[in-house]
Amino acid sequence: MNRASEEHRPSRQEDSAWSQVKPDKKTPSGEGTAQPTEKTGRIVTYLWNLSQNGVKGNTLGSYSSILRKLAKHTDLTPESVKEYLAKDKEWNDATKSLTVIVYGSFLKFSGLTWQPPKYKPPEKIPYVPTEADIDQLIAGSGRKLTTFLQFLKETGARSGEAAKLKWSDVDFERRVATITPEKGSRPRILPISHNPIEMLEHHPKGSNRIWSTLYSMKSNFYKTRRSLAFKLQNPRLKEIGLHTFRHWKTTMEYHKTRDILHVQQVLGHRDLRNTLIYINLEKALFQNAADEFNAKVAQNLDEACKLLEVGFEYVTEIDGTQIFRKRK
């Protein structure tokens, strides 16, 4: 999901587990102008159905936030929703496109159909901040948030994956963390440095999970980001979202290794096409960088294979000798 969708933050109630919400079976549904209690009942019934079919809390929170805003400004009929989306200036085309999908699913559940408007979100290149800006944001945060952001920076994990991390998922001796995936990704074991390990060792251990809910981490993050951007007079900090740490880690990892399959494994992507964007992103960001390399030569196939196995990349061949290089 793009940065615009990430900034669409659910409320505390919407971020709760909808599996604990039971709809009123007597709530009426159908076309026509819906009263507030009726509209709320229809939304809760729809979200309850999604939860029973395996849709997770974060997705339910986003769906709930969108539908409740529509219910606040429309009577939830197709024409009223179309009119509201056409006039609304707060949501961009990316959010409106998602809204069309969510409302269409809601209508299908209600046994209704519509001719959906078309909003095509513009393709955006992921924002990759400098490491200095990221470190500035981390250093200016409170202890819990600092540890959380440092973990995101080092692992490239999604914020939802990090928020679900349990103490048993961290091997303090080997300095690795086991990531339970979301959004259809693959599970993975990722290394972490001494710095976050030391932070975690001093972290309060009041429950099985390391951090509190994702909602509370997001809320803390957005408040801190806004405050630091003003205090440090650095507007670039406002462009950094929790998912931005994943973009930064991926770009830096490819820049360091030039191994797209390795990067795919770090991210947990099942489809390599989702990872390939970072090749062009890395080239664009580092096209003027003066990189330093270690050079090695290979006289035969066995030597060439050994160099490739440790991260060297083939450059050229001169007088029958293959030349490889790897960034320092």
Side-chain angles (χ1 to χ4, degrees), residues 102-252:
V102 172
Y103 179 69
S105 173
F106 172 73
L107 277 185
K108 183 177 179 180
F109 173 75
S110 302
L112 305 173
T113 60
W114 74 323
Q115 285 294 112
K118 294 182 179 180
Y119 294 97
K120 186 177 181 181
E123 292 187 18
K124 291 185 177 180
I125 298 175
Y127 176 64
V128 179
T130 64
E131 186 171 14
D133 282 345
I134 283 183
D135 288 343
Q136 198 175 64
L137 188 53
I138 292 175
S141 301
R143 185 174 62 175
K144 288 185 179 181
L145 183 59
T146 291
T147 309
F148 185 73
L149 297 181
Q150 185 67 34
F151 184 85
L152 294 183
K153 177 189 175 184
E154 292 205 8
T155 64
R158 294 183 176 90
S159 58
E161 294 172 336
K164 292 187 293 187
L165 204 69
K166 300 177 181 178
W167 288 108
S168 57
D169 293 327
V170 179
D171 187 328
F172 286 84
E173 182 177 349
R174 295 184 178 91
R175 293 195 309 199
V176 295
T178 300
I179 303 297
T180 301
E182 63 177 16
K183 298 185 181 297
S185 296
R186 297 182 186 277
R188 52 215 187 270
I189 299 177
L190 301 175
I192 48 181
S193 72
H194 177 74
N195 190 18
I197 285 291
E198 188 175 8
M199 291 179 181
L200 287 172
E201 286 176 342
H202 294 86
H203 201 73
K205 298 178 176 61
S207 64
N208 290 333
R209 286 193 176 184
I210 296 177
W211 290 287
S212 50
T213 65
L214 179 58
Y215 167 81
S216 64
M217 299 307 298
K218 280 185 175 181
S219 178
N220 189 6
F221 171 75
Y222 291 124
K223 291 178 182 177
T224 301
R225 183 186 65 178
R226 183 171 60 251
S227 175
L228 285 174
F230 175 77
K231 179 180 178 180
L232 301 175
Q233 290 299 292
N234 184 356
R236 295 187 304 275
L237 296 184
K238 294 181 180 180
E239 299 299 315
I240 300 177
L242 290 178
H243 205 70
T244 308
F245 287 81
R246 184 169 168 88
H247 294 318
W248 181 87
K249 170 65 176 178
T250 306
T251 306
M252 297 304 109

Side-chain angles (χ1 to χ4, degrees), residues 13-31:
Q13 291 81 6
E14 293 159 351
D15 195 48
S16 63
W18 278 100
S19 60
Q20 299 177 6
V21 178
K22 296 184 178 181
D24 182 359
K25 295 183 180 181
K26 297 181 180 180
T27 299
S29 62
E31 296 185 79

Side-chain angles (χ1 to χ4, degrees), residues 298-300 316-323:
Q299 304 292 343
N300 52 52
T316 187
E317 183 174 335
I318 301 177
D319 296 332
T321 299
Q322 296 178 328
I323 300 176

Side-chain angles (χ1 to χ4, degrees), residues 259-278:
D259 186 342
I260 195 63
L261 295 180
H262 164 73
V263 174
Q264 180 189 19
Q265 184 179 20
V266 170
L267 294 180
H269 283 166
R270 292 185 179 274
D271 191 337
L272 183 61
R273 289 174 294 182
N274 295 330
T275 319
L276 292 177
I277 184 177
Y278 295 101

